[in-house]
């Protein structure tokens, strides 16, 4: 069962609860704070991300991704999908009310508009960059308006912070790189590191 609390945008209403309320059943796992998969393999989403992508399918509370979509991650104004075959596709909010939002758009970025590449099994997204792990264990990273750069091999999962990346290798070791101004890389320094 799927339970939520706080202020959450659902399909037809906004939830505003101080205690957990059940909003669905048949779920297998949470994928992000805005998505979950059911035991039948379908993926469901909620929250402000519904403004970025609306599939038109769902129930009275949650929206369902089309079957060809295997993963969805989002920031406040961008969303990134993994499709069948492992291609990636990016979309952005069409909100032109200030320069900050325009800057966050993935306009012209990797996967914007049409699906690109293949072999991705998991992706992560931040406002200015994205990363993805392919089925062969290679990890790729890209930023606004750029194609992917190979980071290395032997990876199985990746996550993005605002300006840093954390990845898990198949051997169980954790690796981090990027901005380290608040010690987020966990390497006992506050020095930025461009590589894992």
């Amino acid at each position: 069962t799927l339970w939520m609390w706080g202020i959450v945008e659902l399909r037809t209403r906004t939830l505003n609860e101080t205690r957990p309320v059940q909003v669905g059943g048949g779920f297998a796992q949470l994928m992000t704070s805005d998505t979950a998969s059911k035991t039948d393999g379908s993926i469901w989403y909620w929250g402000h991300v519904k403004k970025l992508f609306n599939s038109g399918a769902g129930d009275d509370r949650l929206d369902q991704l089309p079957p060809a979509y295997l993963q969805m991650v989002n920031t406040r104004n961008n969303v990134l999908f993994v499709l069948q075959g492992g291609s990636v596709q990016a979309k952005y909010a069409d909100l032109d009310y200030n320069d900050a939002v325009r800057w966050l758009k993935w306009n012209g970025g990797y996967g914007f508009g049409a699906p690109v590449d293949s072999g991705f099994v998991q992706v992560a997204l931040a406002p200015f960059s994205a990363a993805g792990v392919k089925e062969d264990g290679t990890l790729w990273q890209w930023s606004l308006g750029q194609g992917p750069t190979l980071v290395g091999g032997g990876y199985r999962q990746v996550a993005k912070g605002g300006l840093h990346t954390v990845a898990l290798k198949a051997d169980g070791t954790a690796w981090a790189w990027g901005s380290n101004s608040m010690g987020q890389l966990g390497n006992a320094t506050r020095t930025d590191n461009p590589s894992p």
Side-chain angles (χ1 to χ4, degrees), residues 1-4 26-46 49 62-74 79-84 120-125 156-160:
T1 57
L2 182 65
W3 297 72
M4 296 182 189
F27 285 89
Q29 70 174 7
L30 286 171
M31 301 176 74
T32 69
S33 61
D34 297 310
T35 60
S37 63
K38 285 196 173 187
T39 54
D40 65 4
S42 61
I43 298 174
W44 296 74
Y45 64 99
W46 56 89
V49 72
L62 307 174
D63 291 279
Q64 182 182 2
L65 286 178
Y69 290 75
L70 305 180
Q71 185 195 4
M72 179 175 102
V73 293
N74 64 282
V79 63
L80 184 63
F81 302 100
V82 176
L83 309 178
Q84 284 181 345
F120 285 97
V121 294
Q122 190 254 324
V123 293
L125 181 65
R156 67 178 182 191
Q157 192 173 7
V158 64
K160 296 289 293 180

Side-chain angles (χ1 to χ4, degrees), residues 9-128:
E9 293 183 44
L10 301 179
R11 184 173 175 88
T12 58
R13 66 186 174 97
T14 298
L15 184 74
N16 188 356
E17 299 289 337
T18 57
R19 296 192 327 199
V21 175
Q22 184 178 345
V23 296
F27 285 89
Q29 70 174 7
L30 286 171
M31 301 176 74
T32 69
S33 61
D34 297 310
T35 60
S37 63
K38 285 196 173 187
T39 54
D40 65 4
S42 61
I43 298 174
W44 296 74
Y45 64 99
W46 56 89
H48 69 273
V49 72
K50 69 184 182 180
K51 297 172 184 173
L52 306 184
F53 178 81
N54 192 322
S55 64
D59 58 26
D60 62 337
R61 294 157 300 205
L62 307 174
D63 291 279
Q64 182 182 2
L65 286 178
Y69 290 75
L70 305 180
Q71 185 195 4
M72 179 175 102
V73 293
N74 64 282
T75 64
R76 187 73 184 162
N77 299 290
N78 306 296
V79 63
L80 184 63
F81 302 100
V82 176
L83 309 178
Q84 284 181 345
S87 60
V88 294
Q89 182 177 19
K91 292 179 182 272
Y92 64 87
D94 192 16
L95 304 171
D96 281 330
Y97 57 84
N98 64 39
D99 289 338
V101 171
R102 269 197 289 277
W103 176 249
L104 292 174
K105 287 184 187 182
W106 280 79
N107 199 352
Y110 186 68
F112 170 74
V116 294
D117 214 330
S118 64
F120 285 97
V121 294
Q122 190 254 324
V123 293
L125 181 65
F128 304 106

Side-chain angles (χ1 to χ4, degrees), residues 105-185:
K105 287 184 187 182
W106 280 79
N107 199 352
Y110 186 68
F112 170 74
V116 294
D117 214 330
S118 64
F120 285 97
V121 294
Q122 190 254 324
V123 293
L125 181 65
F128 304 106
S129 65
V133 177
K134 289 195 173 188
E135 56 195 354
D136 64 3
T138 56
L139 176 61
W140 299 79
Q141 187 165 275
W142 59 98
S143 58
L144 193 68
Q146 298 179 346
T149 301
L150 177 64
V151 175
Y155 290 92
R156 67 178 182 191
Q157 192 173 7
V158 64
K160 296 289 293 180
L163 296 171
H164 73 288
T165 306
V166 179
L168 186 65
K169 283 200 169 189
D171 64 6
T173 57
W175 297 74
W177 63 100
S179 174
N180 197 28
S181 59
M182 292 181 278
Q184 58 265 50
L185 301 186

